[in-house]
Amino acid sequence: MAKILVIDDDIMNLTMVGHILERRGYEVVMAQGGREGIHILEHDEVDLLLLDVEMENMSGMETFTRIRKNPKTSDIRTLCMMTSAYQGYTVEALRLGALGFIKKPILPEQLFEQVEKVLQKTRKDILLAVDDEPINLLMAKRIFGIRYQVETESNGEAALAAIPRVKPDLILLDLHMPQMSGLEVFDRLHKMDGYEDIPVIFLTADEEKETEVKIFKAGASDYIKKPVVAEVAIQRINRILEMKHLQDSLQDEVDRKTKALQISNKKVKNLSKQIMYALSGAIDAKDAYTNGHSGRVAEYARMIAVRMGYTGTDVDDVYAAGLLHDVGKIGISDAIINKPGRLTEEEYRIIKGHTSTGARILEQISELPLLSVGAHWHHERYDGSGYPDGLVGKNIPEIARIVCVADCYDAMTSKRSYRDILPQVQVRREIEMGMGSQFDPEIASIMLQMIDEDINYSMREK
Ligand SMILES: [Fe+2]
């Protein structure tokens, strides 16, 4: 955890801030006054300084100035603490490289936010200053050097060439340069892949309104009038960099959340698939002669749906409806389901009940309402002689008409206790004969197509 030095001449305030930070897990060193603080900084490695600006004896600003002038301590990242009465010091503190301000009385959350923000930054922001006047570049280094890493170039061509190496966080661009104007540099920057979003602040001595308009129209982040007033420039640069960092971290957050969401979506999808497979396995396990029946019906139903023009999740719905169409059989005793001989009327009535029972069970899955529909009416017949409701023709929901064809096809193409798999010709003939009576003719004709294409008779129980 980071080590923080707190300098404050008010012992109450000092210990309070110290304890707040310690509770958060930071290592804290406390100094009651500037002299003691500077001594500690000279002899100890510290990650961050919290400096009270309002000290007596050696004033806060004097302490800050001495710290900056001392080569042993000049680099320390600093946050200033002050009451609103001392806001007049803001500009000077900024010039001395204060990275932020913490308002007194101190609120823990605000304190943490500022401290964490500063500590998270592992490097100084990089400014690229581009100007044909060497004196301006020297000035830029002097004014901004404390807070930022300042790189310089004396013309547009050199600046554009340096950008991939320097990777600036912000560019300070002189508007009037002899070989290539600032606007031209800006224009070329926009065409550089990966660097087009670097914020640019123009520097100009122009007084005309038109210049301002031209600069903003081009898409610049801001402009600063020459001669540069250090405090104004720092505040503007700071504001733009903060916005850029905020945007970057927002984008990172969005990317991270999207990825997490995709992963959890995939997990949920897999989970629901696995639950459906488990359930269909449970149905098939009840009947010694319907091993794999649900899976095959689902697959045939899916193939039919695709040929009917279904796409995407609609196909998945049909598949799932096929998988679970017989779920109502879970409630029927194994003795009836596996009875070798003829069923009594009462037993047949019970068997028929698997449609409504299945519908009731699947109604619970409100996210996939078609599951229940498939289970409910897959034994309806196109001519109205089916069960449980005797629905006719297109009144039978399409998904049930699809499952019905797939279900009957699989019944004929799998083994039974009393017979082997039927020959393909016979299966074809049965489907054809059922067109318009048992089956929706359109769906049945798709099934016939599939049979005709299945030269090796591979669509059957293996
Ligand atoms: Fe059934």
Side-chain angles (χ1 to χ4, degrees), residues 370-404:
L370 285 176
L371 291 187
S372 166
V373 172
H376 201 167
W377 290 297
H378 71 278
H379 283 289
E380 297 292 354
R381 293 171 57 105
Y382 204 70
D383 60 10
S385 64
Y387 65 88
D389 296 321
L391 298 181
V392 183
K394 305 283 184 207
N395 287 333
I396 307 164
E398 190 166 81
I399 196 158
R401 281 179 268 137
I402 295 174
V403 172
C404 171

Side-chain angles (χ1 to χ4, degrees), residues 293 325-326 329 354-355 375 378-379 387 407:
H293 170 67
H325 71 283
D326 268 346
K329 284 189 176 167
H354 81 280
T355 49
H378 71 278
H379 283 289
Y387 65 88
D407 188 19

Side-chain angles (χ1 to χ4, degrees), residues 157-377:
E157 202 68 63
L160 289 169
I163 283 168
R165 174 177 49 83
V166 173
K167 295 191 177 61
D169 294 290
L170 185 142
I171 299 171
L172 291 173
L173 190 54
D174 184 22
L175 187 63
H176 296 296
M177 291 185 289
Q179 291 111 346
M180 195 192 290
S181 80
L183 282 170
E184 206 182 328
V185 177
F186 188 61
D187 193 48
R188 296 227 340 230
L189 175 71
H190 266 253
K191 292 173 186 141
M192 282 172 73
D193 212 17
Y195 303 102
E196 63 272 45
D197 291 332
I198 301 173
V200 173
I201 298 180
F202 279 101
L203 294 156
T204 172
D206 278 9
E207 288 294 336
E208 297 126 54
K209 200 97 194 127
E210 277 162 38
T211 309
E212 197 179 331
V213 173
K214 214 160 46 181
I215 285 169
F216 281 117
K217 255 194 179 160
S221 300
D222 205 347
Y223 83 103
I224 296 170
K225 282 220 173 99
K226 285 184 184 178
V228 174
V229 181
E231 297 77 46
V232 176
I234 289 172
Q235 298 226 37
R236 290 191 165 184
I237 291 169
N238 240 0
R239 182 175 58 79
I240 287 163
L241 283 173
E242 282 206 350
M243 236 147 66
K244 179 179 183 272
H245 294 319
L246 198 68
Q247 242 167 23
D248 290 350
S249 63
L250 263 178
Q251 191 54 51
D252 286 351
E253 186 68 5
V254 169
D255 291 348
R256 206 176 53 73
K257 286 249 161 82
T258 310
K259 207 169 164 199
L261 203 65
Q262 281 168 345
I263 291 172
S264 85
N265 264 351
K266 207 173 157 193
K267 268 192 182 164
V268 171
K269 260 194 179 161
N270 280 342
L271 178 68
S272 54
K273 256 190 204 160
Q274 286 162 356
I275 291 174
M276 283 197 274
Y277 283 127
L279 201 53
S280 82
I283 308 159
D284 289 356
K286 280 185 75 81
D287 187 336
Y289 272 91
T290 56
N291 189 25
H293 170 67
S294 301
R296 288 191 303 272
V297 171
E299 183 54 27
Y300 301 147
R302 190 188 66 78
M303 289 162 77
I304 294 170
V306 169
R307 285 171 188 245
M308 288 173 78
Y310 282 53
T311 52
T313 53
D314 290 345
V315 176
D316 298 341
D317 288 356
V318 173
Y319 185 87
L323 208 52
L324 299 177
H325 71 283
D326 268 346
V327 77
K329 284 189 176 167
I330 280 178
I332 298 171
S333 85
D334 294 5
I336 299 180
I337 289 181
N338 290 313
K339 186 175 172 182
R342 252 187 96 84
L343 293 172
T344 65
E345 212 164 287
E346 174 59 10
E347 286 164 343
Y348 191 47
R349 193 189 58 79
I350 292 171
I351 287 271
K352 280 168 153 181
H354 81 280
T355 49
S356 336
T357 308
R360 264 200 313 281
I361 293 172
L362 296 174
E363 258 169 25
Q364 311 294 320
I365 307 177
S366 56
E367 288 295 320
L368 295 172
L370 285 176
L371 291 187
S372 166
V373 172
H376 201 167
W377 290 297

